[in-house]
Amino acid sequence: MDKARSAALAALLRVRVDEGYSNIVFDKTVRSLNISPRDTAFASALFYGVLEKRIALDYCISFYSKISLRRMEPVVQEILRMGIFQILFMDRIPDSAAVNESVNLAKQNKAVKASGFINGILRSVLRNRNNFVWPDETTQKGKSIRYSCPEEWIDFWEKSYGNQVCGRILESLEKRPPLYIRLNPTKVGGQELTDSLTSLDVKVNNITTIEGAYALEHSGSIADLTAFQQGWFHVQDLSSQICCFLVGARPGERVIDVCAAPGGKTFTLAENMKNEGEILSFDKYKGKVRLIQQGAERLGLSIVKTGLRDASFPKEPLEKADCVLCDVPCSGLGVIRRKPEIRYKSMKELDGLPDLQYLILCESAKLVRENGRLIYSTCTLNPAENGEVANRFLRDHPDFRPLFLQLPKGISHVISEPENQITIFPFTADSDGFFVAAFQRI
């Protein structure tokens, strides 16, 4: 497990320095170290677990340490977090390994002087593990430590959605998100895909909410599966698939996806259109456009045309479309289960997002032909980025009207909102938090 712990530590330190998304940082770290699948699995559990439980782990460190966290070197902080996480939350890890390997990590990472300090803190945690008293969970501080979520976000969600919904959001943060995939019906049928995957001991669960949606367990590396290489499916969260269902793209239509990377919605829309018609799939970065193009080629979706375009400041006009999907950059508060570091963002970092989102929505509206549809979506749980942007758009654009959303079976409104809008919470369908609003040009 030495390599696994070293990989987890390296990834945690990179997240701190680069402030990159955890999944990207972890994948790059594992590839650079070339560790085994077994070590990768352990490193992943340790890496994501420490990110998810950071507030609780830091509370524990502060309880036993006379040195404040701010005075500790980053490598010492992360090694302590990893050690305590193994002791408190990983039952299969021997206590001796959690302590000894943490000390070894310190010595291997130029923190020899801190190795005794780390050893002492971890042994204190071990001695008092069964008697340690956590704060009262009925208080905001207690909730923050219990769910490792900053108090400002708990206050925010309680004010935005009410105490009950906030409580369910917090509970959802402790669950690992399922791995959802989308069948490519232009290449294969559901039974053939299922048979191919189950023959490799992959567990396949059919999702009844959306036709063609499946959840996988024990899949290993997705890219190594023959069915993936043959273009029989692509990975896409269920909420994103629901969004594509609500777009209602039909064969023969012209569709524009203005912020398309990494391409999941573009692919599903093309499949729903039976690969008949035209989809223009844009992003402002060359690397992301290449990803979309490569994905479309793997799936055999010939109607997808990719290109560089800044959705907020487009330089060239386009022929208008039957439907425009406007999936804007957002705070990502709906995908915290996949990217746990998002929960530690400050609310001040999000202040400018609604104006940017509104600008992109207004520019996208210019691309919609008469009677055409405009879909606005985010993967966040923030009314300022969701309903408030949608309502502002309708107030300022009398040439558009709200378009009623025909929700798929099993999906319903959790909060009070207009019938052209839906907020999908992580507990709604065991998927990402998401928001969709629909409009029609009059």
Side-chain angles (χ1 to χ4, degrees), residues 8 30 35 71-72 86 94 153 155 162 178 185 189 218 238 241 244 266 284-286 298 307 327 357 365 379 432 436:
V30 169
I35 64 176
R71 291 177 56 197
M72 296 180 195
Q86 291 170 75
W153 287 120
D155 292 337
H218 317 301
L238 184 59
Q241 295 189 45
C244 292
T266 287
K284 65 186 291 187
Y285 300 107
K286 289 183 180 179
R298 179 180 62 81
D327 185 58
Q357 293 156 345
C379 59
D432 291 344
V436 180

Side-chain angles (χ1 to χ4, degrees), residues 275-319:
N275 203 28
E276 299 174 11
E278 182 182 33
I279 295 185
L280 303 184
S281 187
F282 295 112
D283 197 87
K284 65 186 291 187
Y285 300 107
K286 289 183 180 179
K288 292 185 176 181
V289 171
R290 281 197 299 272
L291 283 177
I292 302 170
Q293 187 173 0
Q294 291 167 1
E297 290 172 354
R298 179 180 62 81
L299 295 163
L301 301 173
S302 58
I303 68 170
V304 175
K305 311 295 186 221
T306 60
L308 279 170
R309 186 179 175 87
D310 186 340
S312 58
F313 293 103
K315 295 180 179 180
E316 298 178 0
L318 293 173
E319 179 186 340

Side-chain angles (χ1 to χ4, degrees), residues 328-347:
V328 297
C330 69
S331 57
L333 296 173
V335 296
I336 288 178
R337 294 196 300 178
R338 300 185 189 280
K339 300 172 182 176
E341 71 281 1
I342 289 176
R343 75 185 77 192
Y344 306 117
K345 285 184 176 180
S346 168
M347 292 183 67

Side-chain angles (χ1 to χ4, degrees), residues 2 33 45 96 104 128 147 163 187-188 199 204 210 218 225 240 262 269 295 312 335 338-339 344 355 358 409 428:
D2 293 351
L33 296 176
S96 58
N104 289 336
N128 299 284
Y147 297 104
N163 291 353
K187 280 199 169 187
V188 71
S199 69
V204 183
I210 295 290
H218 317 301
L225 296 174
S240 183
L269 294 177
S312 58
V335 296
R338 300 185 189 280
K339 300 172 182 176
Y344 306 117
D355 287 336
Y358 179 72
K409 185 179 179 181
T428 303

Side-chain angles (χ1 to χ4, degrees), residues 215-258:
L216 303 187
E217 297 179 42
H218 317 301
S219 63
S221 171
I222 290 292
D224 292 338
L225 296 174
T226 302
F228 179 83
Q229 295 168 354
Q230 292 176 330
W232 288 7
F233 71 89
H234 67 271
V235 176
Q236 185 182 26
D237 186 73
L238 184 59
S239 288
S240 183
Q241 295 189 45
I242 292 171
C243 174
C244 292
F245 172 89
L246 296 174
V247 170
R250 296 180 287 271
E253 286 191 322
R254 174 181 168 87
V255 176
I256 300 176
D257 189 350
V258 300

Side-chain angles (χ1 to χ4, degrees), residues 325-375:
L325 173 59
C326 185
D327 185 58
V328 297
C330 69
S331 57
L333 296 173
V335 296
I336 288 178
R337 294 196 300 178
R338 300 185 189 280
K339 300 172 182 176
E341 71 281 1
I342 289 176
R343 75 185 77 192
Y344 306 117
K345 285 184 176 180
S346 168
M347 292 183 67
K348 293 180 181 179
E349 295 180 49
L350 315 181
D351 288 346
L353 280 173
D355 287 336
L356 172 62
Q357 293 156 345
Y358 179 72
L359 174 61
I360 293 175
L361 182 57
C362 292
E363 290 294 336
S364 302
K366 299 174 183 177
L367 304 176
V368 183
R369 62 178 47 147
E370 288 185 7
N371 295 318
R373 308 180 304 282
L374 175 63
I375 309 297

